[in-house]
Amino acid sequence: MDELDSEIVRLLQADARQSNRELARQLGVAPSTCLERVRSLTRRGVIRGYHADIELGALNRGVQAMVSVQVRPLSRTVITAFKESVGRLPEVLSVFVLSGGDDFLLHVTAQDLDHLHAFLLDRLSKRKEIVSFRTSMVFQRLHNTVLSRLPDPTALD
């Protein structure tokens, strides 16, 4: 990615609803150049989609928690099956596969504490591959929506 691609990505992260004409104006390039660059970024998989950032409370998801999970036996089959299965649960926002003491970290939401408790008891604790899990409540969340490219480590020398 060159500087123009990086700037396109930054501007689209800040406001993906802006028109190609507006984006080109901000970049100081022709609309046709801008459109071709955006299409190229999409073809290359840099831009994977456009999403609305929705307030979780508006979706009746007022409670958030991070659930650390250990599964056994540790095998590719168990890890893949667990990841795909819990990733489909409506309460689960994100599934992280980890190294270290825990195997997974789940970011989950629920209507309230009673529903979170029911999710943990009825959905997680009944799974045979789970040997333990710990839940940490999320009080506040800061989500960085505009990311820039980090410097190449080899360029620092």
Side-chain angles (χ1 to χ4, degrees):
M1 282 190 10
D2 63 15
E3 286 184 34
L4 182 57
D5 286 344
S6 294
E7 189 63 10
I8 289 170
V9 167
R10 187 187 70 75
L11 290 170
L12 286 176
Q13 287 178 100
D15 181 7
R17 292 186 54 164
Q18 61 188 307
S19 69
N20 181 67
R21 183 178 308 267
E22 176 59 23
L23 188 59
R25 186 193 66 72
Q26 291 180 63
L27 295 166
V29 299
S32 59
T33 300
C34 184
L35 184 59
E36 183 50 41
R37 287 293 191 112
V38 170
R39 286 179 176 163
S40 174
L41 288 165
T42 303
R43 275 193 308 272
R44 294 180 354 230
V46 175
I47 297 173
R48 298 185 306 180
Y50 300 88
H51 311 279
D53 187 13
I54 307 298
E55 168 59 39
L56 291 174
L59 299 177
N60 200 22
R61 294 170 178 262
V63 171
Q64 295 181 63
M66 302 303 278
V67 183
S68 302
V69 179
Q70 290 183 335
V71 297
R72 295 295 179 270
L74 274 181
S75 70
R76 182 177 300 275
T77 303
V78 170
I79 289 170
T80 300
F82 181 80
K83 176 182 67 173
E84 291 173 359
S85 176
V86 296
R88 289 190 298 267
L89 296 174
E91 297 87 355
V92 176
L93 295 180
S94 300
V95 177
F96 301 93
V97 181
L98 307 174
S99 67
D102 296 316
D103 303 311
F104 293 92
L105 182 63
L106 310 178
H107 182 191
V108 301
T109 61
Q111 297 91 321
D112 52 38
L113 289 175
D114 288 336
H115 283 90
L116 175 63
H117 190 235
F119 169 79
L120 296 170
L121 290 177
D122 299 336
R123 297 272 178 95
L124 288 188
S125 70
K126 292 182 178 181
R127 296 187 65 105
K128 292 179 180 16
E129 72 271 32
I130 294 179
V131 294
S132 72
F133 64 86
R134 287 185 330 277
T135 304
S136 299
M137 298 300 301
V138 174
F139 295 122
Q140 296 179 339
R141 175 179 174 243
L142 173 65
H143 180 67
N144 219 351
T145 58
V146 179
L147 303 175
S148 59
R149 184 177 170 87
L150 294 174
D152 185 351
T154 59
L156 297 177
D157 295 337

